[in-house]
Amino acid sequence: MEQINWYPGHMKKTKELIQENIKMVDAVIEVLDARLPVSSKNPIIDDLIKNKKRIVILNKSDLADETVTKKWIDAYKKNGVIAVPMNSNSGAGIKELYRILENLNQQMNANSVRKKPIRVMIVGIPNVGKSSLINRMAGKKSAKTGNKPGVTRGKQWINLKEGVQLLDTPGILWPKFEDQEIGLKLAFVGSIKDEILDLENIVLKLIGFLTDNYPELLKERFKLDVLKDTALEIMDDICDKRGFIQSGGRKDYERAAKTIMDEYRSGKIGKISIEKPLITDN
Ligand SMILES: Nc1nc2c(ncn2[C@@H]2O[C@H](COP(=O)(O)OP(=O)(O)OP(=O)(O)O)[C@@H](O)[C@H]2O)c(=O)[nH]1
Ligand SMILES: [Mg+2]
């Protein structure tokens, strides 16, 4: 993961750069994490995009709860936003994204004699999968167009099929890190560097979340018959089950925390969504 220090000067420069780039595109592809679409959204992106066409990508959908992701897609739709579930590793979702871009292209060129390619750019917070998505969209056959001074002001565009051009550098934006609750959720999925976190504490919070929301998955993964009342007791049980015991008999919480975190992030505990849309079905 790229290390970025979002000091105010850096945020201002980033904002200006993205504003410049947005002027050159017809649509913006906003990449969010399917497991936490609210917390993985940049706080000023809506201001930056304004009235430009926007396509929301719910990336890493392979790690999210499918039924929750469907609810998110519906919620976006109700608000007039097109959202697509995506797995940028496998490419599942790419076809749908292309279909949407093709439609936009047709709308854009409906009344013009000389067809123009639709130009898009990708934006999102660090580690959300922007580069993976670009690689997926570009595939093997794509070609970089090179610099065209004057026309594109030195920007590199990737020619994709169906009359789509993609800006080859994504816009990296900062997450909503002011809020502790959001910071915690971003830490769960690995969007905040672990070195600056108290991993054991984060994992206890994760165990608490899983106990409340996905108890069966937690039990199954760690072969626990029952879930005890506190996260610490559950962590103790996991240490016993996995043999995370130091010489002298003390539980190895550090190892337990690391293992639980790794297994959660790689999807081994299951497909788990952290945020659900606030809508009722009826
Ligand atoms: N499971 C899963 N992992 C993904 C997916 N997309 C990206 N990843 C992984 O997420 C990590 C970050 O992906 P990148 O494409 O580098 O993310 P980025 O947004 O370009 O990150 P920065 O350049 O740091 O801003 C990598 O380990 C990817 O393999 C996905 O759809 N599913
Ligand atoms: Mg990247």
Side-chain angles (χ1 to χ4, degrees):
M1 200 194 313
E2 209 170 310
Q3 176 113 54
I4 299 167
N5 290 316
W6 295 109
Y7 56 91
H10 191 153
M11 293 195 334
K12 187 165 171 282
K13 270 201 194 122
T14 302
K15 185 180 161 186
E16 283 167 1
L17 182 73
I18 291 183
Q19 267 169 334
E20 276 301 300
N21 287 341
I22 283 179
K23 281 185 202 154
M24 295 185 298
V25 299
D26 305 296
V28 175
I29 296 175
E30 182 187 17
V31 186
L32 301 175
D33 189 310
R35 296 165 293 179
L36 56 169
V38 176
S39 294
S40 60
K41 190 178 170 70
N42 167 268
I44 66 157
I45 188 67
D46 290 348
D47 283 346
L48 290 175
I49 294 180
K50 291 206 182 78
N51 296 325
K52 277 278 174 197
K53 277 273 175 205
R54 181 200 353 194
I55 301 161
V56 165
I57 297 295
L58 294 182
N59 198 40
K60 309 196 185 186
S61 62
D62 53 306
L63 299 174
D65 187 334
E66 225 168 301
T67 56
V68 176
T69 301
K70 282 206 182 91
K71 285 182 185 164
W72 276 115
I73 302 287
D74 289 347
Y76 282 111
K77 206 170 174 182
K78 276 185 189 153
N79 287 309
V81 177
I82 304 169
V84 186
M86 183 69 64
N87 175 348
S88 294
N89 282 345
S90 75
I94 290 288
K95 268 194 184 154
E96 194 186 342
L97 176 57
Y98 267 126
R99 197 177 47 73
I100 290 159
L101 291 172
E102 226 176 304
N103 281 344
L104 285 181
N105 191 8
Q106 275 169 16
Q107 280 171 32
M108 194 175 84
N109 284 306
N111 300 313
S112 49
V113 181
R114 280 187 58 196
K115 306 276 180 234
K116 282 193 305 186
I118 185 170
R119 287 190 153 179
V120 295
M121 71 177 288
I122 286 174
V123 298
I125 66 168
N127 202 45
V128 75
K130 300 175 296 298
S131 300
S132 305
L133 180 62
I134 286 183
N135 291 338
R136 267 290 153 192
M137 287 178 76
K140 288 193 197 95
K141 283 188 196 135
S142 69
K144 283 190 182 172
T145 58
N147 285 344
K148 290 185 205 162
V151 183
T152 58
R153 279 182 274 171
K155 295 291 164 192
Q156 299 272 331
W157 297 91
I158 305 172
N159 283 320
L160 306 176
K161 55 186 171 184
E162 341 284 9
V164 184
Q165 285 191 340
L166 176 67
L167 189 60
D168 78 340
T169 43
I172 306 175
L173 284 160
W174 58 93
K176 302 179 202 175
F177 42 37
E178 319 79 16
D179 182 310
Q180 281 221 358
E181 188 71 27
I182 290 173
L184 183 67
K185 291 175 181 177
L186 290 168
F188 283 173
V189 301
S191 283
I192 292 178
K193 276 202 168 277
D194 285 341
E195 290 87 282
I196 59 162
L197 303 167
D198 174 359
L199 191 65
E200 280 169 47
N201 245 322
I202 303 277
V203 168
L204 286 174
K205 294 254 166 53
L206 178 66
I207 290 173
F209 171 83
L210 294 173
T211 304
D212 291 342
N213 295 279
Y214 296 90
E216 294 310 317
L217 293 181
L218 185 61
K219 275 157 77 177
E220 200 177 321
R221 179 69 198 170
F222 297 103
K223 303 194 166 38
L224 307 169
D225 297 329
V226 288
L227 293 176
K228 300 237 175 86
D229 287 342
T230 69
L232 191 59
E233 288 171 298
I234 295 171
M235 182 112 112
D236 280 338
D237 284 348
I238 293 172
C239 286
D240 290 339
K241 284 282 176 184
R242 291 284 181 96
F244 297 149
I245 312 289
Q246 292 166 320
S247 56
R250 282 187 53 221
K251 301 207 189 314
D252 191 344
Y253 290 128
E254 198 184 326
R255 184 147 170 237
K258 214 189 156 305
T259 304
I260 294 165
M261 201 40 123
D262 286 348
E263 294 189 6
Y264 166 69
R265 287 183 185 157
S266 60
K268 289 192 181 112
I269 298 179
K271 294 177 184 290
I272 290 162
S273 294
I274 295 166
E275 290 173 341
K276 293 176 185 157
L278 295 167
I279 48 155
T280 47
D281 318 89
N282 52 25

